[in-house]
Each structure stands twice: as C-alpha cells, then as structure tokens.
Amino acid sequence: MALAETKRQAAAARALAENAARQELHQQVTSIQAEVLVEGSERKVREMEAQVASMKASLSEAEARSARSERQATEMRAELGQLISELAEEQWQHAGARARLEGVGLRADVATRRARSTTQSWNSERARIEAALAQAKAIKQEPHVMLRGASSPD
C-alpha cells in the first residue's frame, strides 16, 4: 500500500507539475502575445505619429498657401478699387468730351444751316444777277435791232 500510495502521490505530483508547466507555458504564451500586442501598438503609435507629423506639415503648407492667396486677394481687391476709380475718372472725362462734342456738333449744325442758307441766298443772288445780265445783254442787243428796224422805211 505504501507503494501504491507513493505511486498515487507521484502521479498527483506529476499532474501538479504538468498543470504548473501548462500554466507557466500559458503564462509565457500570454506574455509573448502581450509583448506582440505592445510592439504592434508601439509600431501603430509610431505610424500614427508619423501621419500626424505629415498632416501637420501639410496643414502648415496649406496655411501658407491660404495666407498667400489671402494676400493676393487683398492686393487684387486694392487694384480693383484703383482700376474702378480710374475707370470712373475716364468715364467722367469721356462724358465731358461727349458733351463738348455734342456742343460742337450743335454749333456745327447751326453753322451748316447758316452756310446752306448763305449758299442758297448766294445762288439766288447769282441767278438773279445772271438773269439781270442776260436781260441787260438782251436789251443792249435790242436797240441795235430796233435801230436797224427804225432806219428802214415803213
């Protein structure tokens, strides 16, 4: 019986040792898995930190471009204001020039009407003078005709 008891105790001790070995193995596997997870997490953290750094750099570049664009927009607005002012000045000058030209045109119309009237008067006078000259010429020639007729006996 003592042998059986020793065998039973040895089997129990073996079972306990195997159980302890399984538990230790399980603990080692769990520890390795935890290390792998930690390493994976650390790698993920490094990747994410790199992405954050890249995004910060992209954001800085975008902010710089935005600032440049805003400065250009401000400059363009200022230039637009100046161009609008210049355009208004030129429109005012053109309006004045147009008014002067219209005034000149009105004066030219008046002068043209006067010139036409004067030309018509001159043409009428010329025609009257030519008619008078023709009549005077005819009268001058008639006395010779009359004189010839007067010298002949009736």
Side-chain angles (χ1 to χ4, degrees), residues 25-42:
L25 181 60
H26 179 66
Q27 190 176 17
Q28 286 176 352
V29 167
T30 304
S31 177
I32 290 172
Q33 288 174 340
E35 284 181 34
V36 167
L37 287 174
V38 167
E39 287 176 5
S41 295
E42 288 174 348

Side-chain angles (χ1 to χ4, degrees), residues 44-63:
K44 268 290 205 212
V45 166
R46 284 190 301 274
E47 288 172 0
M48 289 181 163
E49 286 174 344
Q51 286 177 348
V52 166
S54 174
M55 288 178 173
K56 283 182 178 178
S58 294
L59 179 62
S60 285
E61 291 172 6
E63 287 174 341

Side-chain angles (χ1 to χ4, degrees), residues 11-24:
R14 246 189 331 264
L16 280 173
E18 285 176 2
N19 195 16
R22 265 190 295 239
Q23 283 182 349
E24 187 178 330

Side-chain angles (χ1 to χ4, degrees), residues 56-117:
K56 283 182 178 178
S58 294
L59 179 62
S60 285
E61 291 172 6
E63 287 174 341
R65 283 192 305 272
S66 176
R68 270 194 310 273
S69 296
E70 190 60 37
R71 278 193 309 272
Q72 288 175 342
T74 301
E75 290 171 1
M76 291 170 102
R77 279 191 288 275
E79 186 176 352
L80 177 63
Q82 184 176 353
L83 290 173
I84 287 172
S85 173
E86 289 175 11
L87 179 61
E89 175 69 23
E90 286 183 17
Q91 285 176 336
W92 181 82
Q93 289 175 356
H94 287 153
R98 184 179 301 116
R100 286 190 299 278
L101 287 174
E102 287 172 358
V104 168
L106 291 175
R107 287 193 301 263
D109 286 346
V110 169
T112 302
R113 276 190 236 116
R114 284 184 186 160
R116 282 186 189 142
S117 175

